[in-house]
Amino acid sequence: MQAAIDGIGIAMGRTSYVEADIAKGRLVVPFKITLPADAGFYLVSPEAKADPPKLAAFREWLHTSVKNKP
């Protein structure tokens, strides 16, 4: 989110987490598209590039984070 606020990136996130930044004009909502809270997320990459160490570490962190949610 900070990269988006700083103008050097874009971000997707839960509205409830960023509504203050949207209200203060630090972030903008470019599209009127929303997803239900129970929507799924997917990590996609070309098969030939699916296992570099950084991506493997991120994939493992993501999987662990999801498994540990109440």
Side-chain angles (χ1 to χ4, degrees):
M1 290 303 159
Q2 192 60 51
I5 290 169
D6 292 344
I8 57 173
I10 61 170
M12 291 177 20
R14 294 196 182 276
T15 304
S16 59
Y17 295 158
V18 296
E19 59 193 356
D21 291 311
I22 293 169
K24 292 179 181 178
R26 291 189 289 247
L27 291 173
V28 297
V29 179
F31 309 106
K32 294 184 185 284
I33 299 171
T34 59
L35 297 174
D38 62 351
F41 294 90
Y42 301 89
L43 178 60
V44 180
S45 70
E47 187 174 351
K49 297 181 180 186
D51 284 320
K54 289 181 182 180
L55 184 56
F58 177 69
R59 184 175 52 243
E60 180 60 30
W61 171 84
L62 188 60
H63 187 265
T64 301
S65 297
V66 171
K67 283 190 342 186
N68 292 332
K69 293 289 181 190

